[in-house]
Structure formats: C-alpha cells, structure tokens
Amino acid sequence: MLPMTELAAFPTAAPALDQPYDPATVEPRWYDFWEQNGVFAASDSPDDTRPVYVVPMPPPNVTGSLHMGHALFTALQDSLVRWHRMRGYNTLWQPGTDHAGIATQLVVERQLAQQGLSRRAMGRSAFVERVWQWRRETGDRIHLQQRTLGASPDWSRSRFTMDAPMNRAVVEAFVRLFEQGLMYRATRLINWCPECATTLSDLEVENEEGANGELFEFAYPVEGGGEIVVATTRPETMLGDTAVAVHPEDPRYVAFHGKRVRHPFVDRTFPIITDAILVDPKFGTGAVKVTPAHDFNDFATGKRHGLEEINILNLDGTLNSNAGRFAGLDRKEARRAVKTALVERGLARASKPHVLTLPRCSRSGGIVEPMISTQWFLSMRSMADKALEAVHSGRTVILPTEWTKTYDHFLGSIQDWCVSRQLWWGHQIPAWHGPNGEIKVARERPQECGAESADSPWQQDPDVLDTWFSSALWPFSTLGWPDRTRALTKFYPASDLETGYDILFFWVARMMMFGLHFTGLVPFRRVLLHGMVVDETGEKMSKVKGNVMDPLDLVYGTSFAAMVEKTAPLSPPAEALAKFRKAYPSAAAMGAGFPAFGADAVRFTLVTYPPSNKRIALSPKRIEGNRHFLNKIWNATRLALELLGSGFTWPEQAETARHFYNRWIRSRFAAACESVHTGFDEFRIDEAALASYHFFWDELCSWYLEIVKPILRRTPLESPPSSHDLVRETRFTLAYVVEGSLRLMHPFMPFITEELWQRLPRPRSRRISLAFGPYPTRDDEGPARCADVDDWMDIFKDVVSAARAIRSEHGVDKKADVRLTLRSARPETLDFLSAHAESIRTLVKTQGLPILEGPGGRREAGTTMGVVPASGGPIEVLVALRGLVDRDGELARIEREVKKVDRELSSLDKKLAAPGFTERAPKEVVEEATTQRRALVEAKARLDTARKLAEEL
RNA sequence: GGGCGGGUAGCUCAGCGGUAGAGCACUGGCCUUACAAGCCGGCCGUCGCAGGUUCAAGCCCUGUCCCGCCCACCA
C-alpha cells in the first residue's frame, strides 16, 4: 500500500534501452518525479517515530554560481542523505543561501558603477532595496543548479540568512550575548580594508607571504646631539611614530636611554624607550620606530609604555591631517613622498631588499591597515573552551580526525571576534546610540529612544554584523529558533555537518560555539571535512590561472572554446585555451570539448576521490571512465531484462541460493554491501562507491552475467529437466542482484539507477521510487557470504583466464576448435571442474567440453600447457592447438610463468628461512606460507613439464 | 617560527605490518547476438632518501630532502 504522498507522476518519453546510455534523455525525467512524490520531504511530526538524520547544507552565497566545490559537497552530502533515507531515516537535508555581506555588496556596487551609480549617492535604504531586488532576480540560481546534480534537500524548508525569521534569530542572539556581557564595544586596533571601507575579522585577512619589499633605514635626530637609525618596511607610518624603542641591553644605544628625538616633519618630540619584548637587537639597526596606531606590536608596546596613539589615516586609506603636509596623499604616494623628504633632509640611511608578509583583504585583495577604531567585539574565550571540550569529550567527532588538532589550535588561541562591519548589506546591529554616547541594545527600537526619524537624537547603530555571525546560528536558526518549534525539537542537533576544511574556522568552529552557547547542545554529532577541488595538476582553480571548470559544463557538455570564454573572460581566447589544456592534460586529449557526461557520472567521479584528500585533483578522463561505467550498467540491466523475460515475477519471498554461481554472486553482493556500509560509516564514500563499482563491473558483469547468459538462454527443450531448478533459481538471483545493485548504487548515481529500476521487475513491497529504498543491509545480505564458494570461484576464474591467455597469446582464431584438458591430482578439484565444465567451455570458447583427468597423462603434439598454482594443488591447463603453436612464443610464455612462480617462491623462501620466522610468527602465517610454498613447488614442477612439452614442438 | 598533509606504475591516486593495487595512458588480438562508451590478453614499480624497531615494513619509529596548505604581530 502506498502512502498518500506517493502520487504517481510518471515521467514520459522513456528512452529506448537498446541504444547507448544518454544521460541527457534520462536525467531530466526524474527530478520532478522525486519532488512530487515527497522523496525530499522531512517530517517534523512528533508522531513520526523513524530515526532522524539531519545534515545542514552549507548555504552558498546568493551571489554564487555553482563551482566544483559546490558540486563536491552536493555529491557527498546527497550520497549520505540518500543512503540514510533509503535506510528508513526521517532525513532532513537543510538547504538555504547566505547573504554574504561583503561579497554581495561588492557585486551590486560593481553593477551600479557600470550604470554610473554609487551606493553613497543612492543612500542606504535605496541601496539595500536594490540588493534585495537583485537577490530576487538571481538568487537561489545555485539551487537550480544543484537540482541538476540530483540533490535531494527539503527545498520547502529553504532559508535565506537575511529573511525575517533569520533576522529575528540574529537579533535575539546579539541581545542575549550583550546582556550576558559577552558582546561589548571597545576601541582597539582592528583590521581595516580601505577598499571595502570596513573592518575585517582576523580570519578575513589573508597573509600573502613572500612579497618583495624593502627595509628602509632612516635617522631620527636625537635631542642633545646624535641620531638614532631605525629600520622599517613602512616609512610612511613614521608620521604616526610616538617612540623609538631599543633593547635595554643593547650597548650601542645605552647613551640614548631616556633621551628624546625630534620628528623631522611634524612638530613633536617623543622618547627613546627600552623594550625587550618588541626589540630584537639583531634585526635591522636594533632600533625600532613605534607606531601604536598602525601596527599590532607597536600598539601593545604603546600600551606598555603609555604612548600616544596617533592615527594618521582616513578610512579610505589616505593620510589625514595628523600627517601634516602629507595629508591627503594615498598610502602609496605617501610612502614615496616621505622617503623623498627624508632623503632631502639628509636623514635617509639605507635601503635593503626585504621579503615580507602582506596582510590582504580576502574579498578585495587590498592591503589591510591596522587602525584604531571603536567596534563591537564578541568575547570568545568561554565559548571556545566549551567548543573545545565538546570535541575532546567526543560529543562531536571530527573526521578525518587529524583536523581535531587544527580545531584545537584555532580555538585555543582565539582572540575576541570583531563582529561589526561598516557595510549596508547585512543584519544591522540592534543597538541605539543616544545623544550623550549612551548605548541601548534591544530586540526592537526601545521606546525611550523615541520615534524613528532622521533627526532623532537616538540613531540605530549603522553597522551590520559579520556575515558569519548569522551562519554560526544556521543549524538552529533554520529550524525556527528562538521558538521551540517542532522542527527544532526534531532536527536539532544535526547528525552530520559535511563541508570543506577551508571553513573549519569561519563556520564550523563558530557553529560549535554558538550551538553550545544558545542551546546547550552540540550543533552536530559529526563534522565531516573534505578537501579542495583542484585542477589535474594540483593547482587551485582560479580565473587568473584559467583552470576553472564549471560542473554544469561537464554535465551538459561544451566546447573548450565556449568554456574558457565563460570561465576565463579576462584572457584572450587562445591563451585561455592553452592554459586550460595545460591544467587538464587528460581533457586536452579528448578533442575540442566535453561530451555530456551527465550528472551521475560527475557525481560518481567526485565521490570516488577520498574526501580526506586535501587536494582533489579532478580528472576529466576519470569522469569519462565513469560515464562508461554508466553505460555498462545500462547495458547490463538491458541484458538482465532480456534474460529474465517478460514472464518473470518476483516470488513472494526472497530465497537463498543453492547453486554455485548464484551462491557466489550473492556472496560477492553481500561483501560489496558490507564495504559500502563501512565506507559510508567511516566517511570513506570513495570506498563505498568503488566497492559498488567493482562488484558491478568485475564480478556481476565480467563473470556472473557471462556464466548465466547461456543457462538462461537455453530453450526449454535444450535444458534438461534436472536443470529446471537451476534455471528458476538463477533467474531469481539475477533479478535479485541487479535490483539490489541499483539500490546499492542509487545514493551515488540517482538518475540512472531510478530509470533502470523502474523498468525492472521488483518485489511488490517496493515503494514508488527507488529513492525510498530499502537499502541493502548488512544483516540481510551478510548470511550470503561464503568464503569457500569465493575460493572455488577464484579457481574457476584462474582456470578460465589461463586458458584464455594461451589462446590469446598464440593468436588463436576465436572460431578455431581447440580442445581443453584440465589435470589435477586432487579429486575435489576435478569434481568441481567437472561440475562447471559447461561454463568453462562457454567462457574459454572451446568447442567441446574440457577433458578432465589426473596428472601425468599422455602428451599430445601441438599442445600447450599453463599451470594454475591453486593452493589445493596445481591445475594443469592444456590447450591443444593443432599445429597453431608457435614454439618460441610458447617457451617465452612458460618462461614468464616460471619467473613469476620463482619470484614468489624466492620471497617465500626468504621469509621461511629468516631466523625466527617459524618460532615467532603466528602459526597461521607460518602454515599459510608453508602451504603456499608447497603449491608453488608443485606448480613449478608442472611448469617444467610444460617446458619440455614446448621444447618438443 | 609553529602546525598539518603529501612524495607508491608514464599520469591521477588507493593500500598503512604478512607475497605491490585501481582508473587512465601504452600495447597485441577481437565489430564474440548486453555493451567498441565494449571484450580477451600483455607491458609497466630498488613504494623520496638514510638509519632503526620487528620473524616480517610503502605501512611503525628517528633523522633528512623536496612539494603543498594552514596558523603566527618579527620592525
């Protein structure tokens, strides 16, 4: 019986099966179907007793367009989410978008600039409205792109960090933090980006290492005679100097202790101080100019010595009136002008090349200036300690575990967070400033502040909060916090938080702190971190490098020319193309462009990289390989359908297999299920995906289908009554493993598996979509595991391969009638081979059944011999080629086999002969080595026979 | 200056204590009635270097050399 939600909405225009798999016709058929049938919907009903699985999706920037990083997390999270959903979890994958303060504001400002407008000219409210309009026009485009990839979040619950309910949560959090004394206002040295005209948190400053600069030395005249030479990388800041510091024990400067120097350009004198913390006597001249208002070290020094802090910069990075005659100059100009002036005054002393680290704004790339400013800060220590404890106690587990150290280090040394930004796009700070510097913080404009108007003495704080402030609330603000909603009760804390390691500090750590602070609970049980997608040579993707790949171009296909025109608009096309080819050697070999790989192939490829790899070097060739895999699945299912025939109906009860090949494939399917579950559990989705790949291709397709084909194709007349049970069981097993494989692989490749599954006979108990599962479980499949059957099958495969190798190496025509003889001293082996003689015949393509006999039989002219060194005793594989044998080739082949056996033998001998091995190594290991050695020795003896045989040719 | 990764087949990467693996590339043969996006074969490795632990080491330890990333206020 189907639940009411499962309204059938079957897509139309099913593509014919008997043509190559075409993702373009299959993939568009299913998304609406899933959505309409409620596949993605999570239930917050208290009556729903299913276990809950929750993953908050990292909300992409509204400005964003899908890039590889998005595609990677979409593929990984969707796999996790679908896996759980199929296992019966009430699954919430919480989607949304982020307002991305600076990023979005810059984008819209750039648009305005093109129209000759500026935000200042427009005014705040008009500008904000403009951003909203833009968001309405283009926002959530990325969600459409994620749909293309088959993502299955509960879209009905999508949130935008600037929507009213989110804003309410932000205000609530801010007010509570203020009331708790954790949110405070302070005047400090902060990071200022003159280009964005806003403060930045420490995390938003990127230190660019290895910049070439100079260490400039100049002299300050000392009052009472003499001079003291200081070294600096920033000569222009001397306009804000309020001290010169030397090391107290530096003999060169003892005479200057307590003296004052005169500033050459501004009318003031300041002291020479001694400070052992700031000054390293070995660096530069051993004398340091101190600029408390523009350098973090100097600021601290100034505090220690009670120095004056002179701010010399305007907010736009030009010099202010404190700079005297240099006022108005831009930072760069000022540096030149100050140096020139110092030269003119005869005070310049030296200039040396110097490699330094430049602090840059992560958004604009502009050089960040330390400035003294009054801002809102959030006290971090206590929250950080709780967040550290939560991970140490294991309430939240970080995977891969190596990242725990990084997390610890960050939170252990965290500084207070400057949360106010001088932007217009964002959550405005819920604080009101009064005429006499009073500050009121409240959820709404306080009554005592009077009505809101331009000339009111009480004005709301114009600043907005760091974007990451609202992101930090995401796991619970999306569920309705601060209200105790049903969703919050049901879906908080989340199960897994899956994201790139690059936002471990920005986002994960802050969610941990806020989650614990506001709810008392960890926000998620596990943190799963994946690496960065880079190009095929390991370089980070960037427009400048011209190595950006758009996931959708891989899905839909594109010419490289069109692709680079879009992804590298800054370079000339030919150059961009060359860069692209260099970044993706394997793509270069594909011709003029990408074919439509389809979402499944792209997703599958992404999840087959170990997520723990710091760099995930995406190879187009690998996507191509996976598209081939999809084609394999397509064709194999078609074959299965043909073999099952239209009359097949699923039995009421699944049965265990009794016949050898069926037992084997069930055993292998169970092993694959086990690996897939383990892979998922341990966040080794690559292993999960690859296990399903190898099962399907290397076991199901390469062996099982080939074996089963002739059995199921025999007409009733051809198949003896004794085999009726075999045929019936085989048909069922085929249906079972193919249907099971599609369920197994669905989390990785939802489209093709749904398409094929819908065409396949299946048990009545199945629901309308494959996406509802059930997923093959360890418990159900596990009992099918059988090591003994697996071992026998290995022998079977080795025998077939050995015979095939002989055929192949002698260039035997496939239609040539060759006779196969298999010899073994072991009765069980002969029995086994005899039981499967028909299959061996089919797979090796001999015309008659293999002859089975004991060793030492008559040697026929024109016969070659290979040896399978099975542990139960070697099996001789003789192929009578009837004069087709090339003597030298045969000898070479045998020689190769002998060499292989010798290699193994010598390494075994070494092992066995090693002093202490037999005494110290575990008994099983010794036993195994001994058995193997015996097998190899026997095999070698047989090979000697084979050689003699060949020599007689 | 600290921390974290990584150096394994031509390329991209698995493997992390018991006889070196995958995909792609290369190569020989096959249009074999599921699939040429395929099939059947083959070739390819002193597992960065040097020591050590162990009966046994890509796998553990120490040192060392490269490469990448992160954090940090050396003027």
Side-chain angles (χ1 to χ4, degrees):
Chain A
M1 193 180 69
L2 302 175
M4 289 302 287
T5 51
E6 294 187 3
L7 308 166
F10 284 107
T12 52
L17 264 177
D18 62 342
Q19 57 189 20
Y21 176 59
D22 178 18
T25 57
V26 168
E27 293 185 351
R29 304 179 69 226
W30 296 104
Y31 203 87
D32 289 347
F33 174 78
W34 291 327
E35 212 170 15
Q36 284 163 27
N37 285 291
V39 167
F40 309 160
S43 162
D44 57 24
S45 162
D47 301 331
D48 192 313
T49 55
R50 291 176 295 167
V52 171
Y53 181 70
V54 182
V55 177
M57 185 194 292
N61 292 357
V62 270
T63 55
S65 179
L66 198 78
H67 61 233
M68 276 300 163
H70 295 128
L72 177 63
F73 87 59
T74 302
L76 288 169
Q77 291 170 29
D78 196 51
S79 297
L80 282 167
V81 158
R82 286 181 181 269
W83 177 56
H84 278 90
R85 186 152 45 223
M86 290 177 76
R87 292 192 301 152
Y89 283 76
N90 179 11
T91 301
L92 171 61
W93 188 13
Q94 171 66 53
T97 43
D98 194 282
H99 67 283
I102 302 186
T104 306
Q105 178 158 327
L106 288 178
V107 166
V108 176
E109 279 193 276
R110 223 168 288 143
Q111 291 172 351
L112 289 175
Q114 280 172 3
Q115 300 163 19
L117 294 167
S118 80
R119 83 179 150 102
R120 305 222 176 260
M122 287 175 86
R124 183 164 185 154
S125 61
F127 176 76
V128 169
E129 179 44 42
R130 172 66 188 246
V131 182
W132 273 109
Q133 182 198 329
W134 178 80
R135 178 249 174 328
R136 280 190 295 269
E137 283 162 11
T138 62
D140 295 357
R141 171 185 48 178
I142 199 160
H143 286 166
L144 296 175
Q145 299 172 319
Q146 286 183 291
R147 285 167 184 258
T148 297
L149 290 175
S152 65
D154 188 342
W155 295 116
S156 72
R157 295 174 183 274
S158 185
R159 294 288 182 271
F160 176 50
T161 53
M162 277 290 280
D163 282 342
M166 300 290 102
N167 179 253
R168 182 168 158 249
V170 165
V171 168
E172 181 67 27
F174 187 95
V175 172
R176 286 194 197 177
L177 290 167
F178 179 79
E179 288 168 350
Q180 290 155 351
L182 293 169
M183 184 67 75
Y184 63 95
R185 221 164 141 70
T187 304
R188 289 199 184 153
L189 208 56
I190 46 83
N191 303 300
W192 182 264
C193 172
E195 299 190 18
C196 304
T198 180
T199 52
L200 301 173
S201 68
D202 295 343
L203 288 178
E204 288 163 300
V205 179
E206 286 175 355
N207 292 310
E208 180 197 323
E209 286 178 48
N212 289 319
E214 72 167 338
L215 195 59
F216 186 77
E217 296 180 7
F218 69 91
Y220 272 122
V222 179
E223 283 190 330
E227 65 175 34
I228 188 162
V229 179
V230 295
T232 180
T233 54
R234 302 202 51 193
E236 73 281 11
T237 62
M238 62 87 71
L239 296 164
D241 283 359
T242 55
V244 170
V246 296
H247 195 276
E249 276 149 38
D250 190 337
R252 292 173 294 178
Y253 300 117
V254 175
F256 290 140
H257 290 186
K259 295 263 173 69
R260 294 181 78 79
V261 300
R262 172 153 293 281
H263 199 289
F265 308 131
V266 204
D267 184 23
R268 66 166 182 271
T269 65
F270 47 82
I272 295 172
I273 59 170
T274 59
D275 193 291
I277 299 172
L278 178 71
V279 184
D280 170 6
K282 290 189 287 296
F283 189 88
T285 61
V288 187
K289 57 188 278 305
V290 184
T291 323
H294 296 288
D295 181 280
F296 285 93
N297 279 319
D298 293 3
F299 181 77
T301 308
K303 290 294 182 206
R304 285 197 294 276
H305 295 268
L307 299 177
E308 198 184 346
E309 294 156 0
I310 299 176
N311 179 8
I312 60 163
L313 287 176
N314 293 312
L315 296 180
D316 63 358
T318 59
L319 271 61
N320 67 21
S321 59
N322 286 334
R325 64 183 167 102
F326 299 97
L329 293 179
D330 162 84
R331 286 172 292 173
K332 262 196 169 158
E333 298 165 352
R335 179 171 302 177
R336 225 172 296 128
V338 166
K339 279 163 66 179
T340 309
L342 284 167
V343 172
E344 283 167 1
R345 283 292 194 90
L347 294 170
R349 288 293 174 270
S351 169
K352 295 165 187 163
H354 181 67
V355 178
L356 65 155
T357 305
L358 276 181
R360 287 186 180 278
C361 169
S362 57
R363 276 298 150 198
S364 67
I367 294 174
V368 171
E369 291 294 338
M371 293 247 245
I372 289 186
S373 176
T374 304
Q375 301 289 339
W376 289 96
F377 291 88
L378 182 56
S379 178
M380 292 276 95
R381 192 65 267 148
S382 62
M383 281 194 259
D385 285 340
K386 284 180 193 147
L388 282 167
E389 192 279 328
V391 169
H392 290 162
S393 67
R395 280 183 289 152
T396 293
V397 173
I398 299 176
L399 289 180
T401 49
E402 296 83 70
W403 286 106
T404 308
K405 270 192 191 175
T406 310
Y407 174 86
D408 286 351
H409 182 256
F410 172 69
L411 287 176
S413 58
I414 196 168
Q415 301 293 307
D416 284 357
W417 180 9
C418 175
V419 293
S420 42
R421 295 287 176 278
Q422 290 63 50
L423 304 172
W424 287 351
W425 176 241
H427 294 282
Q428 198 169 350
I429 290 175
W432 284 263
H433 297 267
N436 304 309
E438 313 96 310
I439 294 177
K440 288 186 191 300
V441 169
R443 288 164 182 79
E444 284 164 27
R445 185 181 174 92
Q447 279 197 324
E448 61 269 32
C449 295
E452 194 169 331
S453 76
D455 51 4
S456 160
W458 285 88
Q459 292 294 330
Q460 186 174 3
D461 194 305
D463 290 355
V464 301
L465 287 164
D466 184 348
T467 294
W468 294 102
F469 188 93
S470 55
S471 313
L473 304 166
W474 190 246
F476 47 96
S477 63
T478 49
L479 301 173
W481 186 88
D483 295 335
R484 298 179 74 90
T485 59
R486 294 203 320 198
L488 189 66
T489 311
K490 191 106 191 164
F491 300 127
Y492 187 88
S495 318
D496 288 337
L497 186 282
E498 201 287 329
T499 193
Y501 70 75
D502 55 330
I503 53 176
L504 176 60
F505 303 155
F506 278 109
W507 195 42
V508 180
R510 285 164 174 168
M511 282 190 287
M512 284 296 290
M513 291 192 281
F514 276 24
L516 286 161
H517 185 76
F518 290 110
T519 72
L521 299 170
V522 293
F524 22 74
R525 312 269 180 224
R526 298 197 305 174
V527 173
L528 311 175
L529 295 171
H530 63 247
M532 300 296 112
V533 184
V534 296
D535 74 22
E536 214 169 356
T537 66
E539 292 288 317
K540 203 168 162 178
M541 289 192 192
S542 79
K543 288 197 172 176
V544 179
K545 288 190 194 132
N547 59 354
V548 174
M549 265 204 296
D550 180 340
L552 296 183
D553 283 341
L554 294 167
V555 172
Y556 295 126
T558 184
S559 75
F560 295 148
M563 182 158 173
V564 299
E565 195 182 319
K566 189 180 60 181
T567 53
L570 307 172
S571 313
E575 195 182 304
L577 212 53
K579 280 184 182 172
F580 175 78
R581 290 223 161 90
K582 208 175 138 213
Y584 299 97
S586 85
M590 283 161 98
F594 291 127
F597 291 125
D600 283 332
V602 173
R603 287 173 60 125
F604 190 76
T605 305
L606 286 169
V607 300
T608 56
Y609 290 89
S612 55
N613 280 202
K614 278 194 144 179
R615 294 182 309 176
I616 293 173
L618 189 65
S619 164
K621 204 68 191 167
R622 214 155 133 170
I623 304 174
E624 189 182 52
N626 287 136
R627 186 182 57 143
H628 295 175
F629 178 46
L630 299 192
N631 192 49
K632 190 77 180 173
I633 297 171
W634 183 258
N635 284 298
T637 308
R638 164 154 60 109
L639 173 64
L641 281 167
E642 181 222 306
L643 294 176
L644 291 175
S646 53
F648 178 81
T649 52
W650 203 280
E652 283 303 316
Q653 286 231 288
E655 43 190 301
T656 46
R658 285 171 295 112
H659 292 94
F660 178 70
Y661 305 115
N662 295 332
R663 287 181 69 192
W664 173 71
I665 199 65
R666 290 285 297 269
S667 175
R668 298 320 300 157
F669 180 63
C673 290
E674 173 66 31
S675 300
V676 170
H677 279 278
T678 305
F680 267 123
D681 281 339
E682 294 171 357
F683 192 45
R684 285 300 304 263
I685 301 181
D686 56 313
E687 290 188 344
L690 290 173
S692 66
Y693 176 101
H694 285 122
F695 166 73
F696 197 90
W697 199 319
D698 300 339
E699 292 178 324
L700 180 59
C701 290
S702 295
W703 292 99
Y704 185 72
L705 290 180
E706 292 303 329
I707 290 169
V708 140
K709 211 161 32 175
I711 296 175
L712 294 181
R713 272 189 183 148
R714 279 199 291 260
T715 63
L717 282 176
E718 289 168 324
S719 82
S722 61
S723 71
H724 285 177
D725 180 67
L726 168 67
V727 169
R728 192 194 49 75
E729 181 190 283
T730 300
R731 198 163 270 140
F732 166 73
T733 305
L734 173 64
Y736 186 90
V737 293
V738 171
E739 196 261 356
S741 302
L742 294 176
R743 287 186 287 128
L744 192 68
M745 295 187 289
H746 182 258
F748 314 120
M749 41 177 84
F751 295 107
I752 189 175
T753 48
E754 180 81 80
E755 174 74 42
L756 292 173
W757 185 81
Q758 294 285 350
R759 298 161 183 255
L760 217 59
R762 48 187 186 273
R764 204 189 293 274
S765 60
R766 297 282 187 265
R767 295 169 67 184
I768 196 169
S769 167
L770 174 54
F772 286 121
Y775 203 74
T777 67
R778 285 182 163 117
D779 288 349
D780 287 348
E781 304 304 329
R785 289 290 289 275
C786 181
D788 196 39
V789 165
D790 292 352
D791 289 346
W792 279 113
M793 188 63 188
D794 284 342
I795 291 175
F796 176 91
K797 291 200 280 192
D798 286 347
V799 167
V800 169
S801 292
R804 280 170 169 174
I806 291 169
R807 279 195 76 126
S808 177
E809 290 188 26
H810 288 289
V812 180
D813 185 276
K814 68 175 166 50
K815 291 190 183 90
D817 177 16
V818 295
R819 197 159 70 252
L820 179 64
T821 306
L822 301 172
R823 292 173 174 169
S824 168
R826 196 177 171 223
E828 301 101 292
T829 304
L830 288 174
D831 286 348
F832 169 77
L833 294 171
S834 164
H836 303 292
E838 179 60 35
S839 293
I840 292 171
R841 185 190 66 80
T842 323
L843 295 186
V844 181
K845 298 197 163 59
T846 52
Q847 299 210 328
L849 289 174
I851 295 158
L852 296 159
E853 56 190 35
R858 203 169 56 85
R859 294 184 304 219
E860 254 178 76
T863 296
T864 63
M865 182 174 134
V867 176
V868 173
S871 58
I875 300 164
E876 295 178 5
V877 178
L878 294 97
V879 181
L881 295 170
R882 296 200 178 159
L884 295 164
V885 188
D886 156 23
R887 184 173 180 271
D888 293 342
E890 176 63 3
L891 279 170
R893 186 183 64 76
I894 290 164
E895 222 31 66
R896 218 169 44 230
E897 280 193 52
V898 169
K899 245 172 89 185
K900 204 169 132 198
V901 169
D902 274 344
R903 210 167 39 228
E904 289 180 24
L905 206 52
S906 77
S907 91
L908 261 179
D909 278 342
K910 216 174 84 193
K911 189 181 194 173
L912 282 160
F917 175 73
T918 39
E919 298 88 64
R920 301 266 202 110
K923 211 171 59 203
E924 314 85 74
V925 176
V926 178
E927 217 165 88
E928 202 195 324
T930 316
T931 316
Q932 265 179 22
R933 207 195 103 86
R934 197 183 314 127
L936 286 171
V937 169
E938 286 182 42
K940 207 183 158 189
R942 301 306 163 86
L943 282 168
D944 281 340
T945 316
R947 189 188 352 234
K948 279 185 206 120
L949 191 70
E951 277 164 356
E952 286 166 17
L953 288 169

